[in-house]
Amino acid sequence: MGNSESSNDGKSGSSKGRIYNFSAGPAMLPVDVLEQAQKDMLNWNGSGMGVMEMSHRGKEFVSIAKAAEADLRTLLKIPENYKVLFMQGGATTQFAAIPFNLTTPEDTIDFVETGAWSTKAIKEAKKYCKVNVAATSKAENFTHIPEESNWTLTPGGKLVHICYNETIGGVEFKDIPRCADDVTLVADMSSDFLSKPVDVSKFGMIYAGAQKNVGPAGVTIVIIREDLIGKARADCPAMFDYKLAADNDSMYNTPPCYGIYICGLVFKKLLSIGGLEKVEEYNLKKCALIYDAIDGSEGFYKAPVAKNCRSCMNIPFTMASKELETEFFAEAAKRNMVQLAGHKSVGGIRVSVYNAMPMEGAEAIAQLMQELLARSKQ
Amino acid sequence: MGNSESSNDGKSGSSKGRIYNFSAGPAMLPVDVLEQAQKDMLNWNGSGMGVMEMSHRGKEFVSIAKAAEADLRTLLKIPENYKVLFMQGGATTQFAAIPFNLTTPEDTIDFVETGAWSTKAIKEAKKYCKVNVAATSKAENFTHIPEESNWTLTPGGKLVHICYNETIGGVEFKDIPRCADDVTLVADMSSDFLSKPVDVSKFGMIYAGAQKNVGPAGVTIVIIREDLIGKARADCPAMFDYKLAADNDSMYNTPPCYGIYICGLVFKKLLSIGGLEKVEEYNLKKCALIYDAIDGSEGFYKAPVAKNCRSCMNIPFTMASKELETEFFAEAAKRNMVQLAGHKSVGGIRVSVYNAMPMEGAEAIAQLMQELLARSKQ
């Protein structure tokens, strides 16, 4: 968070020459987390081993995993009746694991479809249970979140799935749906996990791939209320089974140890700067710089998403022509700002400003946007 | 391989203070691989990003992944009609993925049960298809491999599954079963993958978790003949589907990028020292040091496994009493040799000597064994 890039010391392997990487994920990590990982690489804490080399059953790695879980619990104020699982395979694996664990083939999951990732979750769930698309903004190109009062939830239904932040479309829930009081709400938070405080107690389950705000790709975090665990189908793959994962402290087989270690370093970092309230404050400032540049451009930059659900993490916008966008990318590259192309399915420009993007990066892109606008008026 | 630990330079984060870690996995990695990773941590190859921070769709990571696959193909001389997939979830995930991809519920997989990992594979497969245990050494505590002439393969059966090296029991196939000419042979090579040359063309599929000889936990390598791909069941989870993985260059969703990068560094290292023939030569010398210490001890150390299938990677043995074994562990720890306890299910001592264990480590443990034997005679 806001690691100044100015502490370069000219060493090989140092932070010298770092760029602003606006990738939608995997994405920037805090410089001091990377420096700690660098320092620990051959010898963690005097153990004589790097973290990648440790037995997952040894006291060293067990202490790393326990600290990571404890710090995550503190950060998100996770209630005691929730389990924290470190799994593999990304959100896409959870799209199948959720029906295997939480439904029978006759049960229905109500989905709110707000973008490409909800669509993928729906497609996968259809293999295993009934699916009701309770609401969709597909006809409007996923540019808003359907009003909750218009959701057609299954009568007597129990499971509602939402994607809290759509990485591709840039649509983010700003409030927890009211139905959380009556149903088991399951949320894919892959791309805004730990970017702001969230009341975990309102959810049956939250899951997130790590590779946006938390750590490297290859770790998936699942936070699930205990009463939902232990009802997996008989043919649930062992590696999908939340009970097996919970009963074995996420070590039914060898977990992605190094990724968990990096996540743990990030958790400590977020705690050290004051927790998720501070993180959110910082993130809101960053995204405001960019949205202000869009809104003040008199249409030179166009953001498609309704203002009440604009993502604070992924900011898609377009310009009047391909040529202007190409010029934008070229000018950005000259200033060491990369990974700004919109997802291939939507085109345009996408600025992703996850936790580890420093304020200076958001300022630099906003500055570029203003300069290109000014240039267009000359 | 055989990184001398003598190049210590006293820096923090250097190889100073490294120990001999005989863990069954995750396990030691080559020092120079770790040093390269350390150097690249904040800025890979002048890109301004660490590898953990790169978009998996960006040219930087795509070049890393392509080089890793190409180098693995060279190392194992993988024929062109085989796909190489980088997946997640370890061998345990493949235990389910194999029936989902390669069988219908009416098909039978013939298993040869040679230890704890074959048993786990059998248990998981039973959820999805018919299973025939064609041969088992369970009654003899998994201390040998059943003679192939006694295997009762399913008449007309097509799929035979073996575990090439049993990490817990220390039993390893020394030859490819003759049935490979008639059936689709599938082998779990997690714990001896890349420890020796293997004729890939004899197998329908080879799979291996990376965390023994190849890289960090969280990467699973699947090598599969193309004609076996594309027949997944309709309810195969997307993340298990070999066709989806193959068609998307292992990037149907975000792959475990950092792990793939480390595997790639290890592949380059193995090529640089002369390929798998040299690796095997080195490994045979290492394990001979330890087996010789056992065989020359007149029963002071007892290896349970039949000599014709002793693992070159995992060497379990026992001593006459718990007290002697406790003394062994304590004496080893004094000499910076750790992770020597046998798996909890079998007890005793287990010395794992994967590729990255230097000769000096094998010499040190053999030396300890001889000294304790000599002491016992005083």
Side-chain angles (χ1 to χ4, degrees):
Chain A
M1 309 287 305
N3 289 109
S4 169
E5 305 288 313
S6 63
S7 65
N8 296 345
D9 58 6
K11 281 188 308 188
S12 166
S14 78
S15 59
K16 185 169 157 59
R18 298 259 305 165
I19 57 175
Y20 295 123
N21 165 16
F22 293 95
S23 166
M28 291 182 82
L29 287 167
V31 167
D32 43 7
V33 162
L34 293 173
E35 287 175 341
Q36 183 67 46
Q38 189 176 43
K39 187 165 160 286
D40 294 347
M41 183 60 79
L42 285 92
N43 192 346
W44 178 83
N45 204 23
S47 67
M49 301 176 273
V51 176
M52 276 186 267
E53 305 176 291
M54 292 175 180
S55 167
H56 56 298
R57 311 278 183 207
K59 64 182 189 299
E60 295 86 0
F61 184 72
V62 168
S63 78
I64 289 171
K66 278 195 190 305
E69 179 180 340
D71 287 339
L72 178 59
R73 285 185 172 276
T74 304
L75 266 175
L76 267 175
K77 301 181 175 67
I78 299 175
E80 280 191 14
N81 63 327
Y82 283 71
K83 291 283 185 191
V84 173
L85 310 176
F86 292 94
M87 303 186 78
Q88 296 188 55
T92 306
T93 293
Q94 297 307 314
F95 297 165
I98 289 164
F100 267 115
N101 278 276
L102 306 182
T103 73
T104 69
E106 285 71 41
D107 288 336
T108 299
I109 303 180
D110 288 320
F111 280 89
V112 181
E113 188 183 29
T114 52
W117 287 101
S118 336
T119 304
K120 282 200 171 191
I122 289 167
K123 187 178 166 199
E124 188 76 355
K126 281 181 177 169
K127 296 179 185 170
Y128 309 107
C129 64
K130 293 179 183 163
V131 160
N132 170 45
V133 179
T136 177
S137 54
K138 193 173 183 180
E140 298 83 39
N141 278 321
F142 297 127
T143 50
H144 70 103
I145 293 175
E147 261 295 322
E148 188 176 350
S149 54
N150 296 327
W151 296 3
T152 54
L153 299 181
T154 304
K158 284 180 179 168
L159 208 62
V160 175
H161 182 282
I162 59 176
C163 179
Y164 222 56
N165 184 70
E166 288 279 0
T167 320
I168 293 175
V171 168
E172 185 176 24
F173 278 83
K174 299 300 174 183
D175 299 295
I176 296 171
R178 295 182 301 279
C179 67
D181 293 334
D182 306 311
V183 300
T184 296
L185 187 62
V186 174
D188 175 1
M189 289 196 185
S190 292
S191 52
D192 64 352
F193 189 65
L194 298 192
S195 71
K196 57 184 180 183
V198 162
D199 182 353
V200 173
S201 73
K202 294 284 190 181
F203 296 85
M205 173 177 154
I206 290 168
Y207 63 103
Q211 68 273 14
K212 317 290 186 182
N213 285 309
V214 182
V219 180
T220 314
I221 293 169
V222 171
I223 301 170
I224 182 166
R225 214 174 56 223
E226 283 174 348
D227 63 282
L228 297 171
I229 296 178
K231 296 165 186 167
R233 302 182 189 182
D235 63 347
C236 178
M239 289 300 294
F240 285 8
D241 188 330
Y242 299 143
K243 183 162 168 43
L244 272 183
D247 289 351
N248 290 280
D249 292 330
S250 302
M251 297 191 197
Y252 177 68
N253 73 348
T254 317
C257 302
Y258 197 74
I260 293 171
Y261 152 76
I262 297 288
C263 291
L265 292 179
V266 171
F267 300 157
K268 281 204 193 305
K269 166 87 184 172
L270 299 181
L271 286 170
S272 76
I273 59 172
L276 297 185
E277 289 76 11
K278 288 285 177 193
V279 172
E280 179 178 37
E281 199 181 306
Y282 193 80
N283 284 333
L284 287 171
K285 279 185 195 159
K286 284 189 292 181
C287 73
L289 286 168
I290 298 155
Y291 282 121
D292 286 351
I294 293 169
D295 295 338
S297 76
E298 297 166 6
F300 188 65
Y301 304 108
K302 285 199 172 111
V305 176
K307 286 195 178 179
N308 69 352
C309 56
R310 281 174 164 181
S311 170
C312 189
M313 298 282 103
N314 311 101
I315 306 175
F317 59 90
T318 56
M319 299 178 73
S321 69
K322 278 266 181 215
E323 288 67 35
L324 283 169
E325 290 172 357
T326 303
E327 187 192 345
F328 185 94
F329 298 134
E331 199 61 44
K334 279 187 208 165
R335 302 176 189 201
N336 287 321
M337 296 188 282
V338 301
Q339 294 291 344
L340 286 157
H343 189 270
K344 60 189 173 183
S345 63
V346 294
I349 294 159
R350 174 172 51 169
V351 182
S352 295
V353 280
Y354 294 119
N355 285 355
M357 173 59 66
M359 189 66 71
E360 294 81 353
E363 286 166 355
I365 195 88
Q367 173 78 20
L368 169 67
M369 291 170 72
Q370 277 147 3
E371 287 183 27
L372 289 182
L373 170 63
R375 197 186 293 176
S376 77
K377 292 177 174 171
Q378 283 169 357
Chain B
M1 310 288 307
N3 287 113
S4 170
E5 305 288 312
S6 63
S7 65
N8 296 345
D9 56 6
K11 279 189 311 185
S12 164
S14 78
S15 59
K16 187 172 156 58
R18 297 260 303 166
I19 57 176
Y20 294 124
N21 166 16
F22 293 95
S23 167
M28 291 182 80
L29 288 167
V31 168
D32 44 7
V33 163
L34 294 173
E35 286 174 344
Q36 183 67 46
Q38 188 176 44
K39 186 164 162 285
D40 294 347
M41 183 62 79
L42 284 92
N43 193 343
W44 176 84
N45 203 20
S47 67
M49 301 177 273
V51 176
M52 276 188 266
E53 306 176 290
M54 292 174 180
S55 168
H56 55 298
R57 311 278 183 209
K59 64 180 186 300
E60 295 86 0
F61 184 73
V62 168
S63 78
I64 288 171
K66 277 194 190 303
E69 177 179 338
D71 288 338
L72 177 58
R73 284 185 173 276
T74 305
L75 266 174
L76 266 175
K77 302 182 174 68
I78 300 175
E80 279 191 16
N81 62 326
Y82 284 70
K83 291 284 186 189
V84 173
L85 310 176
F86 292 94
M87 303 187 78
Q88 296 188 55
T92 307
T93 294
Q94 296 308 315
F95 297 164
I98 289 164
F100 267 116
N101 279 277
L102 305 183
T103 73
T104 69
E106 285 70 42
D107 288 336
T108 300
I109 303 181
D110 289 319
F111 280 90
V112 181
E113 189 183 27
T114 52
W117 287 102
S118 335
T119 305
K120 282 200 172 191
I122 289 167
K123 188 179 165 197
E124 188 75 356
K126 281 181 177 170
K127 295 179 185 172
Y128 309 107
C129 65
K130 293 180 184 162
V131 161
N132 170 45
V133 179
T136 178
S137 54
K138 193 173 184 180
E140 297 83 38
N141 279 322
F142 297 127
T143 49
H144 70 104
I145 293 175
E147 262 295 320
E148 188 176 350
S149 53
N150 296 327
W151 296 3
T152 54
L153 299 181
T154 303
K158 285 181 181 169
L159 210 60
V160 175
H161 182 283
I162 59 176
C163 179
Y164 221 56
N165 183 70
E166 287 280 357
T167 321
I168 293 175
V171 168
E172 185 175 23
F173 279 82
K174 300 299 173 182
D175 298 296
I176 296 171
R178 296 181 302 278
C179 67
D181 292 334
D182 306 311
V183 300
T184 297
L185 186 63
V186 175
D188 175 0
M189 289 197 186
S190 291
S191 51
D192 64 352
F193 189 65
L194 299 193
S195 70
K196 58 185 179 184
V198 162
D199 182 354
V200 173
S201 74
K202 293 284 191 180
F203 296 85
M205 173 179 155
I206 290 170
Y207 63 102
Q211 68 273 12
K212 317 290 186 180
N213 284 311
V214 184
V219 180
T220 314
I221 294 169
V222 171
I223 302 169
I224 181 167
R225 214 174 56 223
E226 282 175 349
D227 63 284
L228 298 171
I229 296 178
K231 296 164 187 167
R233 300 182 189 183
D235 64 347
C236 178
M239 290 300 293
F240 285 8
D241 189 329
Y242 299 142
K243 182 164 169 41
L244 273 182
D247 288 352
N248 290 279
D249 293 330
S250 301
M251 297 191 197
Y252 177 68
N253 74 347
T254 317
C257 303
Y258 197 72
I260 293 170
Y261 152 75
I262 297 288
C263 291
L265 293 180
V266 171
F267 300 156
K268 281 201 192 308
K269 165 88 184 170
L270 299 182
L271 285 171
S272 77
I273 59 172
L276 297 185
E277 288 76 11
K278 288 285 176 195
V279 172
E280 179 178 38
E281 199 181 303
Y282 194 78
N283 284 332
L284 287 171
K285 280 185 196 161
K286 285 189 291 180
C287 73
L289 286 169
I290 298 156
Y291 282 120
D292 286 351
I294 293 169
D295 294 339
S297 75
E298 296 166 9
F300 187 66
Y301 305 107
K302 286 198 171 110
V305 175
K307 287 194 179 180
N308 69 352
C309 57
R310 282 173 163 182
S311 170
C312 189
M313 299 280 103
N314 311 100
I315 306 174
F317 59 91
T318 57
M319 298 177 73
S321 70
K322 278 266 181 216
E323 289 65 35
L324 282 170
E325 289 172 357
T326 303
E327 187 193 343
F328 184 94
F329 298 136
E331 200 61 43
K334 280 188 208 163
R335 303 175 190 203
N336 286 322
M337 296 188 282
V338 301
Q339 295 288 344
L340 286 158
H343 189 270
K344 58 189 175 188
S345 63
V346 294
I349 295 159
R350 176 174 49 172
V351 181
S352 296
V353 280
Y354 295 119
N355 283 357
M357 173 61 65
M359 189 67 70
E360 294 81 356
E363 286 166 352
I365 194 85
Q367 172 78 20
L368 170 66
M369 291 170 73
Q370 277 147 1
E371 286 183 28
L372 289 182
L373 170 63
R375 196 187 293 176
S376 77
K377 293 180 175 173
Q378 284 169 353

